[in-house]
Amino acid sequence: MKKIILSVLSIFIFTSVINAQFVRKVLFEEATNASCGPCATNNPYLKAYIDGKADSIIAIKYHSHIPGYDPMYLHNPTQSAERYTTYYGMNAMPWLNVDGIINDVWPFTLANLNNAYYGRIVIQAPLTITVNDVRIPGDSIRTTINVNNPSALPSGNYKLRVMAVEKWVIYTSPPGSNGESQFEHVFRKAFPNTAGTTFNGTAGNQQFVFTYKVDPVWKDTSIITIAFIQNDNNKEVLNAGKH
């Protein structure tokens, strides 16, 4: 079983109101697999935690090639692997990263999840991201992403990453061997690719517009766009937003 060492973090109770423009959305990125026994056993704990903090957690789940068959991985194997293997080095399932820099939160105990979540939510975000999706007649979604950056960011290698995520993927019977038939926050595709779009970090408002086709495999009404700014120098996610 994988091991993880997490520092003990205090949970702060704030009596003052944080300026709304700096509110952080904590990004939970998990690698999972429909034939992974530990995933089926532990994902319910992760689901309960994310559901309990749905106003402040944004989740993406990359389906992997290990340990067995997974149709969600096979739908977009190149981009999925680019995120969980090439970028993060995830090599066991399940694997959870929080805001890019809290690596391999495991097991999914309340204490471990709290340490990761509260370790990030107390850090004021330097920018905000809003995402607005509009269905284009036919088969496309146009997403408009506004990034409000009040002050110039320190030197870094910042990327805007934009992803189509399916809120629910439901099978009539388990597609893999672990018994799971309902899957949430499923990564479908990155735009324009997983490398993302360069974000210059200058102060001010910046707008980005992407239009993408809804794949026939996806359930149109379940697709949302998620966007986040990530510093590739250390993989830290500065903030995230979703439609």
Side-chain angles (χ1 to χ4, degrees):
M1 180 176 290
K2 297 181 294 172
K3 298 180 180 178
I4 184 168
I5 299 174
L6 289 174
S7 60
V8 177
L9 299 169
S10 299
I11 299 175
F12 296 93
I13 299 176
F14 291 98
T15 56
S16 60
V17 178
I18 299 175
N19 190 321
Q21 71 174 342
F22 296 111
V23 170
R24 177 176 294 279
K25 301 294 185 180
V26 181
L27 184 65
F28 275 39
E29 294 176 279
E30 185 199 18
T32 188
N33 178 272
S35 295
C36 163
C39 298
T41 301
N42 290 277
N43 277 338
Y45 300 108
L46 181 59
K47 171 180 166 51
Y49 194 84
I50 293 172
D51 288 350
K53 291 178 169 54
D55 61 335
S56 55
I57 292 177
I58 293 176
I60 303 172
K61 296 192 176 186
Y62 308 105
H63 283 253
S64 78
H65 67 292
I66 55 174
Y69 176 74
D70 189 312
M72 290 159 285
Y73 163 74
L74 293 174
H75 177 68
N76 189 355
T78 300
Q79 287 195 339
S80 295
E82 285 172 350
R83 283 299 289 175
Y84 71 80
T85 295
T86 306
Y87 191 80
Y88 282 128
M90 298 172 170
N91 58 13
M93 304 299 132
W95 188 300
L96 174 67
N97 281 4
V98 174
D99 268 354
I101 58 171
I102 301 181
N103 184 49
D104 193 13
V105 180
W106 180 258
F108 295 157
T109 62
L110 180 60
N112 283 348
L113 294 170
N114 272 343
N115 279 342
Y117 169 80
Y118 286 105
R120 293 299 296 170
I121 197 68
V122 297
I123 300 174
Q124 184 170 278
L127 50 79
T128 57
I129 302 173
T130 59
V131 182
N132 183 53
D133 286 350
V134 176
R135 263 57 179 181
I136 305 299
D139 61 356
S140 297
I141 294 174
R142 178 173 296 133
T143 184
T144 302
I145 299 158
N146 289 292
V147 182
N148 177 19
N149 187 31
S151 302
L153 299 176
S155 177
N157 184 14
Y158 301 106
K159 299 294 180 60
L160 169 69
R161 293 198 158 95
V162 179
M163 299 179 178
V165 171
E166 195 161 355
K167 292 183 292 183
W168 280 102
V169 177
I170 300 174
Y171 293 88
T172 55
S173 60
S177 62
N178 72 355
E180 288 184 290
S181 59
Q182 297 185 10
F183 305 89
E184 289 185 281
H185 317 296
V186 177
F187 168 78
R188 286 307 198 179
K189 196 169 184 179
F191 306 99
N193 48 48
T194 58
T197 301
T198 297
F199 181 75
N200 60 28
T202 58
N205 295 304
Q206 298 184 50
Q207 186 176 93
F208 303 82
V209 179
F210 297 85
T211 300
Y212 60 89
K213 289 186 177 182
V214 176
D215 191 283
V217 171
W218 310 346
K219 183 178 178 182
D220 178 43
T221 56
S222 189
I223 291 293
I224 62 171
T225 305
I226 290 175
F228 54 97
I229 301 290
Q230 187 163 31
N231 184 357
D232 279 352
N233 286 351
N234 60 3
K235 297 184 170 59
E236 180 182 15
V237 173
L238 278 63
N239 210 352
K242 68 178 181 179
H243 175 75

